[in-house]
Amino acid sequence: MKIRQLLAGFILMSVASFAAADLEPWTDYELSEGVTSVTTVKVDSNMVDKYLEGLSKTWAPANEIQKELGHIEDYWIHVSQLENSGDFNVVLGVDFKNSAALQPDKAKYDAFMKKWGEENQKKSDEIVMTYPEIREIVGEYMMRSVTFK
């Protein structure tokens, strides 16, 4: 009998906590002005190092230039230590100052291409062509940080 009462109490507390979960943005929490572009990637078994090698010659140097030019705040790569579990095993992220930084901008593009150069673009195009053989992009997200008050 006590177990049944305990279980009923637990269920009521759970339901009550869901009903009370009416948080208000800017009252109970704030969203960051900054935006992070997140891409989840499923890389084939034993191919993560090959994929990272390609990223080290394409994605990372391009993002370094974007960072130097002030177009992005930062970029990062996370790799799962359990590469065969779950829907993805590599996460790519690019942090932007705000949503406006995501808007197309010819001046930014021209500044980037001037620094990146045709030779880097040609090399990048060749490497990127091999990616579909070893990986699949499984998700793309635009995320903001949440800070509770």
Side-chain angles (χ1 to χ4, degrees), residues 16 34 55 70 83 110 114 135 142-143:
L55 292 176
E83 69 177 37
D110 290 343
K114 181 177 180 182
R135 66 96 169 112
M142 285 295 174
M143 306 183 92

Side-chain angles (χ1 to χ4, degrees), residues 37-51:
S37 169
V38 177
T39 303
T40 55
V41 184
K42 180 63 173 181
V43 180
D44 293 343
S45 296
N46 301 319
M47 290 294 178
V48 171
D49 286 340
K50 180 179 172 91
Y51 185 54

